[in-house]
Amino acid sequence: MTISLAVPDILVARAKSGDLEALEALYRAFETPVYNLALRVLRRPEDAEDVLQDTFLEVVRSIKQYRGEGHLWGWIRQIATSKALMRIRQDRVRETEELHEESAVGAGNVGGAGEMRGTEGMSPGAVPAQIDLERAFERLSETSRAVVWLHDVEGYTHEEIAEQMGKTVSFSKSQLARAHVRLRRMLDEGVAR
Amino acid sequence: MMHCTMDDVLALAAGEGSAWARQHVAGCPACRAELEALYQRVAQLKALPVRRPARDRWPAVRNAVVAERRRRRERWGVSGLAAAAVLAGLLVFRPFWTKPVDAAELARVKEQSATLEQQLQRYDPNGRVTSGRSAALAAALEDRIAVIDGELAQLGPAQAQARPADLVTLWQQRVELMEQLVSVHVTRAAYVGL
Ligand SMILES: [Zn+2]
């Protein structure tokens, strides 16, 4: 996904002065990329919506501090990323619980409920290989999804990911490598299907 | 034969492969296929459809922001009086570059603003049923007041001294908006039979 959202300077200036109409226009311009990023990492729509809300609350509160260095999307994306990562940290317990649930439901399941869950929301018209990859990607852990998405799709460097996650560069690199090994294996074995 | 690890392949894709890996991949079809598969996975991830939120979260953001501003304004209303006194003194004692009338006017509008603020506090915005139209009108007025508060906050003491007329104008606008807001609430109160 490539984002080339240019926002008029005048709109940013109005938003900085606290104008709610301008702030809403910014929300409308960026709600989809923010939501999409959060959803890809967190997977649950409600969580992604919460991140969307938290992100814009912070955008509204701190847009006065935005000095216009870099693209506005870069600044907003930074906030969205940190909100999503914060949620991963908070949800670690929940994620463990959910994995248990999933393995119980998914055991020996070929075309039942697991299939349903996997197919809903998959893009109609997407090529099969892409659907397989989307499913395989969704089976990664939240942390792995975050690293893969930020690095491979959003174009973050390992240094940036490490900084955002409060981890080392080698953590980011090894997470990415492990995630790709898993992705490749799932695709080879048709696990995602 | 030793092949590239995923770390090697990722480094190669990033243009940071070791000399060994670069040499190896040139002569090894399996590792070249691995690198190609990585490129494809990344390309497919990038091409995944963009998902859109099912619900609109802007109203929630907006309500939180408006509530925050209202709380801030209430504090501002109290401290505004004290600040007005200080500023009035400042302006009166520096008559060479400012008109004293500004100071008096400033103090007057600030006091007016504070009185209106107190009046407004009697109308609990969430406490009673209201027509959608007057609620929307009140919200619009509150937004405009918030914008002015933002501008006032941005006018630091130094600029405020340099541009007393601007300061007075802003406060006058604020009072006007607040008068409208009070009248919306009064109408509303009458409407619900208070
Ligand atoms: Zn090889």
Side-chain angles (χ1 to χ4, degrees), chain B residues 78-109:
Chain B
V78 177
S79 61
L81 273 177
V86 172
L87 257 168
L90 247 165
L91 296 174
V92 168
F93 292 116
R94 303 220 178 148
F96 351 95
W97 47 268
T98 183
K99 287 174 281 174
V101 65
D102 284 335
E105 175 64 5
L106 183 63
R108 197 185 64 76
V109 288

Side-chain angles (χ1 to χ4, degrees), chain B residues 1-4 24 28 30-32:
Chain B
M1 184 164 76
M2 198 170 101
H3 288 292
C4 289
H24 172 85
C28 175
C31 287
R32 264 210 309 284

Side-chain angles (χ1 to χ4, degrees), chain A residues 31-187:
Chain A
E31 66 176 322
T32 297
V34 166
Y35 175 80
N36 190 62
L37 186 155
L39 185 73
R40 289 304 180 188
V41 172
L42 299 172
R43 222 183 52 182
R44 287 180 219 82
E46 320 80 75
D47 288 351
E49 282 182 17
D50 286 349
V51 165
L52 173 63
Q53 187 172 326
D54 291 350
T55 298
F56 275 90
L57 260 177
E58 181 150 344
V59 166
V60 171
R61 284 180 189 140
S62 56
I63 189 145
K64 277 186 191 136
Q65 274 101 61
Y66 169 65
R67 293 276 166 255
E69 327 88 19
H71 199 289
L72 183 62
W73 165 234
W75 182 72
I76 293 176
R77 184 172 66 175
Q78 197 83 358
I79 296 172
T81 301
S82 84
K83 299 289 177 197
L85 293 176
M86 204 184 294
R87 196 156 280 258
I88 292 181
R89 285 194 290 273
Q90 289 165 354
D91 289 359
R92 198 139 289 161
V93 178
R94 201 176 68 180
E95 191 184 37
T96 319
E97 284 164 1
E98 196 186 88
L99 277 176
H100 286 304
E101 232 171 75
E102 234 169 60
S103 54
V105 171
N109 183 323
V110 187
E115 182 77 15
M116 290 276 290
R117 195 198 61 74
T119 327
E120 74 178 332
M122 296 292 158
S123 54
V127 289
Q130 207 180 8
I131 292 174
D132 289 346
L133 179 69
E134 190 171 15
R135 272 183 216 165
F137 177 75
E138 290 197 340
R139 294 192 176 203
L140 297 175
S141 72
E142 282 185 326
T143 305
S144 293
R145 284 202 301 273
V147 173
V148 171
W149 194 263
L150 293 177
H151 185 273
D152 290 352
V153 180
E154 302 289 344
Y156 278 58
T157 63
H158 285 296
E159 285 74 14
E160 288 167 335
I161 293 169
E163 199 190 315
Q164 285 248 345
M165 289 193 154
K167 304 269 185 181
T168 61
V169 169
S170 65
F171 171 87
S172 175
K173 284 186 175 174
S174 70
Q175 277 287 325
L176 185 70
R178 268 164 51 192
H180 271 287
V181 167
R182 278 205 69 198
L183 284 175
R184 193 202 54 183
R185 197 172 297 150
M186 283 192 276
L187 293 169

